[in-house]
Amino acid sequence: MAQTQINAKKQQDLQQQYTTYKNNLQQLAQRIGDVEQETEEHKLVLETLSPLPQDRKCFRMINGVLVERTVKDIMPALATNSEGLKKVLDDLVKQYKRQQEEMEKWKVCAIVFI
């Protein structure tokens, strides 16, 4: 009887750990998707603005406020943001792969444990 309770407790713990790993991976995948989308938006805006005259008026949303600037003012900031997003994306992908490898190692140990 006691052995059955111990096995049931181990099964619950393993299931909880597995669920935690899966949830973490899903959250990372969601963040990766969000950053990819934002990176694509920056790329599209940069491609749209690059052929325009440097003194042309354009608008940018900063902290919920629409600000009037020129293409010349906006392009460097957008390029910097875009590069930063690419770095964040690379870091998130590395983190995702690391978490996935950790989960695979855990699965092997969990199978041996059972």
Side-chain angles (χ1 to χ4, degrees), residues 59-74:
F59 295 90
R60 179 175 183 205
M61 183 76 71
I62 301 176
N63 295 330
V65 178
L66 196 59
V67 180
E68 182 180 330
R69 297 280 191 256
T70 63
V71 171
K72 178 178 71 176
D73 297 333
I74 297 288

Side-chain angles (χ1 to χ4, degrees), residues 34-85:
D34 292 345
V35 172
E36 282 178 339
Q37 181 179 358
E38 201 167 331
T39 302
E40 285 300 314
E41 288 174 3
H42 275 71
K43 179 182 169 189
L44 179 64
V45 171
L46 284 168
E47 288 173 356
T48 303
L49 292 179
S50 61
L52 298 177
Q54 294 294 306
D55 60 342
R56 181 167 176 170
K57 182 185 347 180
C58 64
F59 295 90
R60 179 175 183 205
M61 183 76 71
I62 301 176
N63 295 330
V65 178
L66 196 59
V67 180
E68 182 180 330
R69 297 280 191 256
T70 63
V71 171
K72 178 178 71 176
D73 297 333
I74 297 288
M75 290 290 284
L78 282 175
T80 302
N81 287 354
S82 183
E83 290 301 316
L85 286 170

Side-chain angles (χ1 to χ4, degrees), residues 7-23 103 106 110 113-114:
N7 283 340
K9 177 69 173 153
K10 287 180 184 177
Q11 287 285 43
Q12 285 177 339
D13 289 345
L14 290 173
Q15 183 62 41
Q16 188 176 23
Q17 289 173 343
Y18 179 77
T19 302
T20 301
Y21 275 117
K22 291 299 277 186
N23 288 341
M103 182 177 166
W106 176 84
F113 185 69
I114 295 173

